[in-house]
Amino acid sequence: MSKGVRKRDFPLGNVRRYLEPGPIVLVSSASKGKTNIMTMGWHTMLEFSPSLVGCMISSGNHSHGMIRESRECVINLPTTALTDAVVGIGNSSGADIDKFAQFGLTAEKASKVGAPLIRDCHANFECRIVDDALIARYNFFVFEVVKAHVAPSPKHPQTLHYTGDGVFMVSGKVISRRSKFRPENL
Ligand SMILES: Cc1cc2nc3c(=O)[nH]c(=O)nc-3n(C[C@H](O)[C@H](O)[C@H](O)COP(=O)(O)O)c2cc1C
């Protein structure tokens, strides 16, 4: 029986460290003949089918204007093999550098959107904006995934999960309770 966990008061501005779901993703975009990539942790699934993803892309980011203008992007899933690129991409601006060249990543043509896939990532999700109502107020974009490319193995890739302060957790041990699930929740 749990005896409970003792807590302390906690700064509201750091609550995100516990609620950021991850995994960290790389968002690639294209606009006016240029490509770009940003690192992103603030995203959430909104619907199974159609597959809707909501995310916060700050208006200060170069990617914000590119994605707003083209109305498309690709959400790419990196593994720990790309940790240094994830950090570098999230701490530099596409207004100053070509991030594909700078971080040694390979751009691949997507099938349904103009933005490039990042070939080095475990999975690539081609997205189009389906609702822009919250962009002006919250920088919140609602995307529909229109095409998904996923490596068949490993089944559980080692993904990065940001905990703030420059520190990541890495996805690890897998546990299953499959037999106790309702089918609609599987
Ligand atoms: C681990 C990590 C997570 C980040 N998550 C987000 C995010 O969810 N939304 C956002 O707008 N910026 C996020 N950023 C910041 C952008 O990646 C960063 O501002 C980047 O330089 C933007 O690139 P750009 O100006 O070329 O678009 C994150 C950065 C890091 C390192």
Side-chain angles (χ1 to χ4, degrees), residues 36 38-42 56 58 61-63 90 92-94 99:
N36 193 25
M38 68 170 274
T39 300
M40 184 171 79
W42 292 8
M56 199 293 286
S58 165
N61 290 338
H62 193 60
S63 303
S92 58
S93 172
K99 296 198 200 176

Side-chain angles (χ1 to χ4, degrees), residues 16 20 24-27 29 36-43 55-67 86-97 99 139 161-164 166-168:
R16 67 180 185 90
E20 272 174 7
I24 287 294
V25 295
L26 294 173
V27 180
S29 52
N36 193 25
I37 317 173
M38 68 170 274
T39 300
M40 184 171 79
W42 292 8
H43 57 80
C55 50
M56 199 293 286
I57 300 174
S58 165
S59 60
N61 290 338
H62 193 60
S63 303
H64 179 104
M66 292 180 69
I67 295 168
V86 162
V87 172
I89 287 165
N91 288 282
S92 58
S93 172
D96 308 322
I97 56 166
K99 296 198 200 176
N139 294 321
H161 303 255
Y162 194 50
T163 66
V167 174
F168 298 86

Side-chain angles (χ1 to χ4, degrees), residues 173-185:
K173 196 170 145 195
V174 173
I175 54 175
S176 174
R177 294 288 184 278
R178 195 182 174 87
S179 60
K180 305 217 182 302
F181 269 62
R182 288 188 193 149
E184 67 270 26
N185 289 335

Side-chain angles (χ1 to χ4, degrees), residues 73-86:
C73 72
V74 178
I75 296 176
N76 305 272
L77 182 70
T79 62
T80 48
L82 294 180
T83 305
D84 291 339
V86 162

